[in-house]
Amino acid sequence: MVVDALVDFGVDRVFCVPGESYLEVLDALYDHGNAIQLINARHEGGAAFMAEAEGKLTGRPGVCLVTRGPGACNASIAVHTAFQDSTPMVLLVGQVSRDWMGREAFQEVDFHAMFGPVAKRVLQVERTEETLAVMARAFDEATSGRPGPVVVVLPEDTLRERAVASPMTPAEVKESEPEPGDMESLCRILFDADRPMMVLGGGGWDDMSRADMAAFAEANDLPVCCSFRRMDLFDNDHSCYAGELGIGPNPKLVERMKEADLIIAVGARLGEMTSQGYSLLDGARAQSNLVHIHADPGELGRVFTPSLGIASGMSAFAKAARGLGSISNGRWKAWRESARRDYEESQLAPDCDDDLDLYRVMQTLRDRIGDHGIVTTDAGNFSGWPQRFLRFGGKRRLLGATSGSMGYGVPAAVAAKLRHPERLVVCCVGDGGFMMTGNEVATAVHYGVAPIILVFENGMYGTIRMHQERAHPGRVIGTELRNPDFAELAKASGAHGETVTRTADFAPAFDRAVASGKASVIALRTNPDRITTRTTLSAIRAAAEQSNGAKGS
């Protein structure tokens, strides 16, 4: 029944680490080998990250199977990622038999208590005949309203029982639509604005909704920025694009957002990163300067109370916005052009005399990715380079964990290449993040897919070291890394591996990786002092020491 439901719901790939608590599901998958591909990863965290990336790419729930206890705990980080990223996902967890529950049986965990705060819903099969109904509810919950992860707990004894169950028809997920009065109110508010800005973010987008929002912005000369790691929602080459509101954004964009007399937030939750620590708006300003559109009515007013809240799915709102046509009559052209100039200036090369110039590496990569390339990024300061200097939009996609979870990049790249073997997939990951889930390179080799993984190697947990130097300059502890030879590690897994230390060597190394037809790892030996795209560790330490000295005096 579990596997029949997966087939009925159109699932064609499932990620897992096998476990004895759900052997019967594995056995049922054996009978459906032509319909569902089973990918057994090297770690439950990697398998669940793959499912999360699948959900991002397809808009349908990515599915992961893990065993009870340790398996579920390992997968929980990806459930949290899917929750904060509004990604549809279904995690199927084997559990101890029902008559053993509550006695701390071997590897038993109370999954309602464990996953309750980080999943959209936790469901458990209580009676075997309800299995199909539970599965149907899980897929409906994962995709309705604000998408998110649903955990389905499968007690081991139910998987071995026989039962008669009525066939279940997958529920048709109906997207909420804006009320006509909402769009009329939006027109009035927008017409009265002198300095409007639009912010795109969240989940639930598709190619058509992206195109509709671009048409609406273009018709009205609206400057558009994107929330943290959502830059692919709007074509970065478009004249309306103004940049990303994430970690270390363009300071001019932050100031422009504070100057704006109207912010139209579409899909974004306006969380900590996007709101720059909740500093872009305050309560009074939000009530007069914010229009918030979100699929979940519960998100409207949760962070900031808007002057107008519209509960709508992204596709429905984008279509309705496009239908509004031009409201501005050209009044915001100069404002939009100024915002675009700020973005273009932020794309200029920073001063650098390093042997390996990461700006030029990004320029080379940008030329080679193509319009249909997919870039996955891990967490860390290194990610500022692809996020600032690569451009996204159209068919070029970015997959990154807005939860800031390390270890996401490599599994996401494997999942992306499995889903789109014809597209170039590039992963950008730090040495710390690679050591967390780099073992999934072996999974890529196992299934014959060829993502290209760029390891930004500076011998430290860079983000934490940066904060460490700011708070406790010169007192370095716990943030240094001693790495293996990543290129040789890749070769030992059957992948292609190279190490690059000079700018001129990157392009030929990348081309060799593509030509190899294998999963590839290119270690980029970077200057450890070059901690972000805008500053160095030396400068951060000097500023902190000066500040501490001033306080001491």
Side-chain angles (χ1 to χ4, degrees), residues 301-450:
R302 184 181 178 193
V303 180
F304 298 104
T305 301
S307 55
L308 174 64
I310 301 176
S312 174
M314 297 304 96
S315 295
F317 175 78
K319 182 178 180 181
R322 183 172 191 164
L324 295 177
S326 177
I327 301 167
S328 67
N329 296 320
R331 285 189 294 128
W332 305 315
K333 181 180 180 182
W335 169 252
R336 188 264 305 161
E337 289 176 340
S338 176
R340 180 63 185 179
R341 280 196 301 273
D342 288 347
Y343 170 72
E344 292 289 359
E345 289 173 2
S346 76
Q347 298 290 288
L348 299 177
D351 293 335
C352 179
D353 56 2
D354 299 341
D355 292 339
L356 183 59
D357 185 337
L358 291 177
Y359 170 80
R360 302 200 180 281
V361 167
M362 292 300 105
Q363 294 303 103
T364 300
L365 189 58
R366 181 174 155 186
D367 292 340
R368 281 164 168 73
I369 291 175
D371 292 338
H372 288 73
I374 298 172
V375 176
T376 72
T377 186
D378 212 271
N381 276 1
F382 77 90
S383 64
W385 294 95
Q387 287 166 197
R388 179 177 173 186
F389 294 117
L390 295 182
R391 295 194 181 187
F392 300 93
K395 298 292 184 180
R396 185 184 291 187
R397 294 296 310 277
L398 172 68
L399 302 181
T402 67
S403 65
S405 174
M406 292 179 68
Y408 180 83
V410 175
V414 176
K417 196 65 176 175
L418 284 163
R419 177 54 55 189
H420 294 291
E422 78 288 356
R423 296 169 72 169
L424 182 64
V425 176
V426 178
C427 167
C428 296
V429 59
D431 41 5
F434 183 83
M435 290 302 292
M436 290 187 178
T437 54
N439 52 351
E440 302 303 346
V441 171
T443 305
V445 172
H446 182 175
Y447 292 98
V449 293

Side-chain angles (χ1 to χ4, degrees), residues 248-297:
N250 183 356
K252 290 185 177 180
L253 176 59
V254 175
E255 287 305 309
R256 186 173 296 275
M257 291 296 294
K258 292 179 178 179
E259 293 171 9
D261 63 353
L262 174 62
I263 295 175
I264 304 172
V266 187
R269 292 192 306 110
L270 297 176
E272 178 185 352
M273 293 301 176
T274 303
S275 66
Q276 302 299 296
Y278 308 105
S279 66
L280 293 184
L281 289 162
D282 57 30
R285 184 166 179 246
Q287 291 183 37
S288 60
N289 296 83
L290 174 64
V291 173
H292 194 186
I293 300 95
H294 201 279
D296 182 0

Side-chain angles (χ1 to χ4, degrees), residues 61-287:
V63 179
C64 181
L65 271 161
V66 297
T67 196
R68 61 197 177 219
C73 290
N74 285 340
S76 63
I77 187 172
V79 175
H80 178 251
T81 297
F83 186 75
Q84 290 220 320
D85 286 33
S86 302
T87 304
M89 177 180 172
V90 172
L91 180 72
L92 303 174
V93 183
Q95 175 62 302
V96 302
S97 297
R98 288 169 293 180
D99 57 349
W100 289 0
M101 289 182 185
R103 292 189 277 180
E104 199 179 337
F106 179 62
Q107 296 185 340
E108 182 186 0
V109 172
D110 182 340
F111 292 123
H112 287 278
M114 174 182 163
F115 284 110
V118 296
K120 187 176 179 183
R121 192 78 63 199
V122 181
L123 306 172
Q124 180 168 301
V125 175
E126 303 292 351
R127 295 189 301 165
T128 303
E129 59 268 27
E130 295 175 346
T131 301
L132 286 177
V134 170
M135 292 291 291
R137 184 181 175 194
F139 276 77
D140 178 55
E141 289 270 5
T143 53
S144 61
R146 175 187 170 186
V150 176
V151 177
V152 178
V153 182
L154 303 171
E156 191 172 358
D157 58 321
T158 67
L159 299 176
R160 292 193 296 265
E161 287 184 349
R162 292 182 178 273
V164 176
S166 301
M168 297 293 297
T169 302
E172 181 183 354
V173 178
K174 293 185 177 181
E175 185 180 56
S176 57
E177 298 183 1
E179 297 291 336
D182 290 336
M183 300 309 291
E184 293 172 5
S185 297
L186 173 61
C187 279
R188 288 195 301 270
I189 294 171
L190 184 55
F191 182 81
D192 291 338
D194 293 317
R195 299 177 304 280
M197 295 287 295
M198 187 157 65
V199 183
L200 307 184
W205 295 86
D206 57 21
D207 290 344
M208 182 55 71
S209 54
R210 290 185 183 92
D212 285 342
M213 288 313 302
F216 173 63
E218 186 172 339
N220 289 283
D221 275 318
L222 277 175
V224 178
C225 59
C226 295
S227 63
F228 182 43
R229 289 182 174 153
R230 298 295 197 193
M231 295 92 77
D232 60 345
L233 294 181
F234 199 89
D235 185 355
N236 298 177
D237 288 321
H238 196 286
S239 61
C240 290
Y241 183 69
E244 179 216 19
L245 281 173
I247 297 175
N250 183 356
K252 290 185 177 180
L253 176 59
V254 175
E255 287 305 309
R256 186 173 296 275
M257 291 296 294
K258 292 179 178 179
E259 293 171 9
D261 63 353
L262 174 62
I263 295 175
I264 304 172
V266 187
R269 292 192 306 110
L270 297 176
E272 178 185 352
M273 293 301 176
T274 303
S275 66
Q276 302 299 296
Y278 308 105
S279 66
L280 293 184
L281 289 162
D282 57 30
R285 184 166 179 246
Q287 291 183 37

